[in-house]
Amino acid sequence: MGDTLRHHLWQHGIFLLVLFLVLAPLAFLILGSFSTARLPGDFSLDAMGLVNYLKVYSDPGTYELFTNTVIYVAGSAAVGIVLAVSLAWLVERTNVPGKIFIYAGVPMTLAVPGMLQAMAWVLLLSPRIGFINQLLKDIFGPDAPVIDVYSLGGMIFIEGLRLVPTAFLMLVPLMRSMDPALEEAAAVSGARPISTLRKVTLRLLAPALVAVMIYQAMTALEVFEIPGILGLPAGIYVFSTKIYAIVRTATFMPVYGQANALAMVYLVIAVVTTSLYARMISRAERYTIITGKGYRPRQLDLGKWKIPALGIALLFLFFSIALPFLVFLYTSFLPYLQAPSWKALSVMTLKNYRLLAEYGEVGSALKNTVLMVAATATATVALSFLVSLVIVRSRFWGRRLLDQLAFVPHAIPGIVMGIAFFWLFLKVDFLPLYGTIWAISIGFTISFLAYGTRSMNAALLQIHKELEEAAYVSGAPPWRTMWRIFVPLMMPTLVGVWIWVVLHAVRIAGMPLMLYEGPKNQVLAILIWNMWDEGYVPAVAAIGTLLMIVLLLLTVAVRVFGFRRQSVQVVEA
């Protein structure tokens, strides 16, 4: 009886903890949207109304915001899916040369954070300081047309590049395992390869493509860094940057209630798209393309198009990873910003790297970042592990609800989660969390819980129950069973999730910008944002170069642990 009670106590504890951490910020987000108080600290249930909604939705600028967001999200998803389908098709269904470089190179583009990628393209295509635009003026004169990256087109192009690796990784397995019988029948019937691709291959993949496009649109919708770097200076707002501008304005008192009212629509859009995505996934069996028959996918001979196809793939890798890194590396050695020339090469210096060692805020931000990402990764792994134990290994009454609660934060954009936790930490003032790196860590932990629990669920399902039953029969308490059986067998998953969380927590700026307060609580993403905003471009380039190298190494580590995880055998007694 005592053991049963202890079992239920820790399961109830995990359930209540997740329930509070997920629903409490959302409750404050909803209540805050109706609050007529000037500041969140003055919030009261007696001061509620629709004034924030009336103010936001009667503003003509809101409809321009809708239009910008729709164009930006649709355009980015379209660019990303076209490039991803093309690359996946080339490596899986054709005999393009250099496949190993494309396989390895596309996921490596995840090592370049969106914020740094946008900054690199500003250095290339800014109308005033862009290297390429300056070259055009040198060649064609001062009246030469310039390429303006501060535009919706620039935002769509760069976000489209950023969306490719995830879609590529989702599409490659589908193309690899697709039964080629229908394609072979089309070829025997005399159909040309392009007709077969258009009328057979893409139609078979249509449901999966729609699901991937919805996922990509959700990702583009929540991204803050690229619209923030490229859209804010030009006054081009999308949802995420408008909410940030309302809350972090320096010219007038923030109107937090209006930010919450705007975030509610953002939240509804995200939830609807997530529901559509889940619906597409649930109907996947209606479009089965993998059968029990043995087969070997047929590869299309590209003939004379082999080299151009390889060139397109290498051009994508150059734009996505090599060019941003080279631009940052070059700029990091400049005493001041100037276009590439022999004169610029002759005055290169290590001053910016020495500045990083001497500038106090860099050391403080680095220390905060290490603490924040370590705490976030460890908390995410521990909480995901315990949640998955309840979901997969128990008969707890609320395990299905707990699973859904753990997935909810995945549907909520980071900037919205940021403002939701902003209200929560202001109201829970008996805990000194507001504005600290621990507030950022808690926000990230909840945001990454969906990925952590999905990975842990899959790993736990691979471990046969007879192992833990043998431990219980031998008299081992639950904590010893976890430590001696689950932890060693799940170590590749635990380490893989830990590194994945570090990789993402260090590169995201949206939520930290909403939750930090004061220079002592800056992390690297915030420091880079602020230094860029203040014009310390060469110093930002030095930080960005070092950060990209570290993230590249972490990305390699994720792939190594990912492959190790795939090699883990199903464990049975």
Side-chain angles (χ1 to χ4, degrees):
M1 182 65 183
D3 288 345
T4 304
L5 183 61
R6 279 198 295 275
H7 269 75
H8 288 173
L9 275 179
W10 80 266
Q11 290 167 358
H12 277 87
I14 294 295
F15 179 80
L16 291 176
L17 178 64
V18 174
L19 184 74
F20 174 77
L21 290 175
V22 172
L23 294 190
L26 294 182
F28 276 109
L29 181 73
I30 295 169
L31 291 174
S33 70
F34 292 101
S35 173
T36 57
R38 190 65 176 165
L39 296 172
D42 301 330
F43 171 79
S44 167
L45 291 176
D46 297 329
M48 305 288 276
L50 295 174
V51 62
N52 294 318
Y53 287 91
L54 293 174
K55 182 71 176 174
V56 168
Y57 298 110
S58 63
D59 183 357
T62 302
Y63 300 100
E64 184 183 357
L65 185 68
F66 270 102
T67 306
N68 287 343
T69 305
V70 169
I71 295 173
Y72 166 68
V73 170
S76 303
V79 171
I81 201 73
V82 168
L83 286 173
V85 168
S86 302
L87 291 170
W89 180 73
L90 284 175
V91 297
E92 290 296 338
R93 309 311 297 265
T94 74
N95 62 346
V96 66
K99 287 184 180 183
I100 185 67
F101 298 108
I102 303 174
Y103 272 128
V106 174
M108 289 296 106
T109 59
L110 291 169
V112 183
M115 183 168 59
L116 297 183
Q117 203 166 42
M119 290 174 178
W121 282 98
V122 167
L123 294 174
L124 289 170
L125 294 177
S126 163
R128 189 169 59 85
I129 62 170
F131 301 156
I132 293 178
N133 283 325
Q134 289 188 33
L135 179 64
L136 291 175
K137 288 179 181 177
D138 290 342
I139 295 174
F140 300 107
D143 295 329
V146 297
I147 306 171
D148 189 359
V149 77
Y150 293 117
S151 61
L152 266 176
M155 291 161 56
I156 289 170
F157 171 68
I158 298 172
E159 180 61 21
L161 291 180
R162 206 186 66 82
L163 292 175
V164 169
T166 303
F168 175 83
L169 292 173
M170 296 168 92
L171 289 169
V172 160
L174 295 174
M175 292 206 177
R176 182 179 301 169
S177 54
M178 193 167 65
D179 189 342
L182 292 176
E183 292 174 312
E184 290 171 357
V188 171
S189 303
R192 293 183 299 174
I194 293 299
S195 298
T196 305
L197 172 66
R198 184 165 54 87
K199 295 181 178 178
V200 178
T201 308
L202 291 181
R203 290 191 181 187
L204 282 173
L205 287 172
L209 287 177
V210 172
V212 173
M213 284 191 72
I214 293 173
Y215 183 86
Q216 298 293 72
M218 290 164 54
T219 305
L221 186 67
E222 72 166 332
V223 164
F224 167 78
E225 291 82 2
I226 289 175
I229 295 293
L230 302 181
L232 282 179
I236 303 172
Y237 291 98
V238 294
F239 271 116
S240 56
T241 51
K242 188 64 178 179
I243 292 171
Y244 171 77
I246 291 175
V247 174
R248 288 294 180 181
T249 178
T251 55
F252 54 87
M253 182 175 286
V255 276
Y256 296 99
Q258 292 182 23
N260 283 38
L262 200 58
M264 291 305 297
V265 178
Y266 201 175
L267 184 63
V268 169
I269 293 172
V271 170
V272 169
T273 51
T274 304
S275 302
L276 286 174
Y277 177 73
R279 193 172 180 183
M280 291 301 302
I281 295 297
S282 67
R283 294 182 174 183
E285 72 278 0
R286 294 173 57 185
Y287 305 94
T288 302
I289 57 176
I290 305 173
T291 67
K293 296 188 299 182
Y295 55 82
R296 185 182 181 85
R298 187 173 65 90
Q299 293 200 334
L300 178 68
D301 182 11
L302 291 176
K304 63 181 181 181
W305 293 103
K306 281 183 183 178
I307 300 304
L310 177 62
I312 291 172
L314 294 180
L315 192 63
F316 165 75
L317 295 177
F318 178 73
F319 279 160
S320 297
I321 189 167
L323 189 58
F325 180 77
L326 291 174
V327 169
F328 266 65
L329 184 66
Y330 162 77
T331 308
S332 70
F333 289 110
L334 295 177
Y336 54 90
L337 191 61
Q338 53 189 310
S341 65
W342 289 115
K343 181 184 174 184
L345 294 175
S346 67
V347 297
M348 282 189 162
T349 173
L350 292 173
K351 183 181 79 171
N352 297 309
Y353 290 95
R354 286 198 297 270
L355 178 67
L356 298 186
E358 298 166 359
Y359 191 42
E361 287 193 21
V362 174
S364 172
L366 187 61
K367 178 184 172 185
N368 287 340
T369 304
V370 171
L371 286 174
M372 187 274 288
V373 298
T376 302
T378 305
T380 303
V381 168
L383 186 57
S384 300
F385 175 65
L386 294 173
V387 168
S388 294
L389 271 183
V390 177
I391 295 170
V392 178
R393 283 295 204 255
S394 79
R395 295 183 178 179
F396 180 63
W397 63 268
R399 61 184 185 281
R400 290 185 179 175
L401 178 58
L402 181 62
D403 191 30
Q404 292 169 355
L405 282 172
F407 190 71
V408 164
H410 180 69
I412 303 171
I415 202 82
V416 176
M417 282 297 285
I419 196 170
F421 274 104
F422 172 81
W423 279 78
L424 176 66
F425 293 135
L426 274 176
K427 298 306 295 180
V428 188
D429 51 4
F430 56 90
L431 292 174
L433 291 172
Y434 173 70
T436 66
I437 59 170
W438 309 117
I440 301 171
S441 182
I442 292 172
F444 273 147
T445 299
I446 298 305
S447 295
F448 298 144
L449 190 60
Y451 175 82
T453 52
R454 264 54 196 170
S455 300
M456 300 287 181
N457 289 352
L460 276 171
L461 286 170
Q462 289 184 312
I463 301 174
H464 200 284
K465 282 189 175 181
E466 289 179 2
L467 287 172
E468 60 190 283
E469 289 169 358
Y472 290 141
V473 170
S474 303
W479 68 267
R480 187 181 292 276
T481 305
M482 288 184 201
W483 184 250
R484 299 296 297 273
I485 293 181
F486 289 122
V487 171
L489 291 173
M490 293 178 63
M491 188 55 71
T493 302
L494 298 175
V495 175
V497 172
W498 197 91
I499 295 175
W500 184 92
V501 172
V502 169
L503 193 63
H504 284 72
V506 79
R507 56 192 285 161
I508 296 175
M511 185 181 289
L513 280 168
M514 297 298 293
L515 294 177
Y516 98 104
E517 192 66 40
K520 290 183 179 178
N521 292 309
Q522 289 185 117
V523 292
L524 269 181
I526 297 172
L527 181 69
I528 292 172
W529 177 275
N530 289 337
M531 290 178 74
W532 176 266
D533 198 40
E534 294 166 4
Y536 296 111
V537 177
V540 168
I543 300 176
T545 302
L546 297 176
L547 184 59
M548 278 192 267
I549 292 172
V550 171
L551 292 180
L552 185 64
L553 295 175
L554 282 173
T555 306
V556 172
V558 168
R559 287 182 63 80
V560 169
F561 278 104
F563 287 132
R564 283 186 59 186
R565 191 171 63 182
Q566 289 173 8
S567 66
V568 171
Q569 300 295 317
V570 177
V571 179
E572 295 187 2

